[in-house]
């Protein structure tokens, strides 16, 4: 049986060509921080997708949100909540895609400022979700007490 030194095997895998390719990768003119803020504030209507130029999916998301509003207005609560759930889940997925660097502009370029802002925005997103969870728990437990 042969012993392999894994540190030695993988020590030189990042080559000079890799470094040059990383430095010369295209960076979008679209800013990560704006896309993240758009997802947090207007994610249900696809604001981040409109900003990044992802027009087709932005239009679908906006239409789904508008459909949910119409369904609420005509008292179709089950369908409205289902449609709103789809746009809500899609918004959470978009936030994960943005924070992981997977969501890019329409030219598939990395967003400007991603390296600088991804960490702080991820922390803020976790705090936001934790705060929303606390509010939901407080509202849920206090609604049972008010009877």
């Amino acid at each position: 049986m042969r012993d392999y030194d894994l540190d030695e095997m993988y020590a030189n895998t990042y080559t000079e060509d890799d470094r040059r390719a990383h430095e010369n990768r295209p960076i979008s003119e679209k800013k990560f921080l704006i896309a993240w803020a758009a997802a947090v504030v207007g994610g249900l209507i696809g604001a981040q997708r409109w900003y990044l130029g992802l027009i087709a999916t932005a239009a679908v998301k906006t239409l789904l949100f508008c459909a949910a509003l119409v369904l609420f207005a005509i008292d179709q609560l089950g369908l409205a909540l289902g449609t709103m759930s789809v746009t809500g889940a899609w918004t959470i997925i978009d936030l994960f895609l943005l924070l992981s660097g997977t969501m890019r502009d329409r030219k598939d370029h990395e967003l400007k400022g991603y390296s600088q802002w991804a960490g702080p925005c991820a922390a803020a997103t976790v705090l936001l979700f934790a705060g929303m969870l606390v509010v939901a728990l407080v509202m849920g437990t206090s609604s049972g007490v008010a009877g």
Side-chain angles (χ1 to χ4, degrees):
M1 180 170 196
R2 193 170 179 188
D3 288 331
Y4 291 100
D5 183 4
L6 295 179
D7 290 334
E8 179 62 31
M9 287 176 66
Y10 293 106
N12 299 317
T13 58
Y14 190 73
T15 66
E16 185 63 25
D17 290 337
D18 294 332
R19 185 191 62 75
R20 273 195 302 273
H22 179 72
E23 288 175 355
N24 295 327
R25 74 191 184 287
I27 301 293
S28 176
E29 289 301 313
K30 302 293 183 176
K31 294 181 172 76
F32 170 80
L33 193 56
I34 293 173
W36 175 80
V40 169
V41 174
L44 290 175
I45 60 170
Q48 71 283 7
R49 289 180 172 273
W50 289 110
Y51 173 69
L52 295 175
L54 307 172
I55 304 301
T57 54
V60 169
K61 197 167 183 183
T62 302
L63 288 173
L64 278 173
F65 182 78
C66 292
L69 293 180
V70 169
L71 290 166
F72 274 123
I74 62 172
D75 208 24
Q76 295 293 317
L77 296 181
L79 287 173
L81 289 173
T83 306
M84 193 61 74
S85 296
V86 169
T87 59
W90 193 352
T91 300
I92 292 169
I93 291 167
D94 278 354
L95 278 166
F96 282 120
L97 291 175
L98 273 169
L99 293 170
S100 69
T102 306
M103 183 177 277
R104 297 168 174 238
D105 70 2
R106 66 183 172 85
K107 297 176 186 172
D108 198 33
H109 295 165
E110 181 180 309
L111 302 179
K112 183 185 261 181
Y114 171 76
S115 299
Q116 177 184 5
W117 291 106
C121 289
T125 303
V126 168
L127 291 174
L128 178 67
F129 282 144
M132 290 169 49
L133 180 61
V134 168
V135 168
L137 289 171
V138 168
M139 288 174 62
T141 56
S142 63
S143 66
V145 175

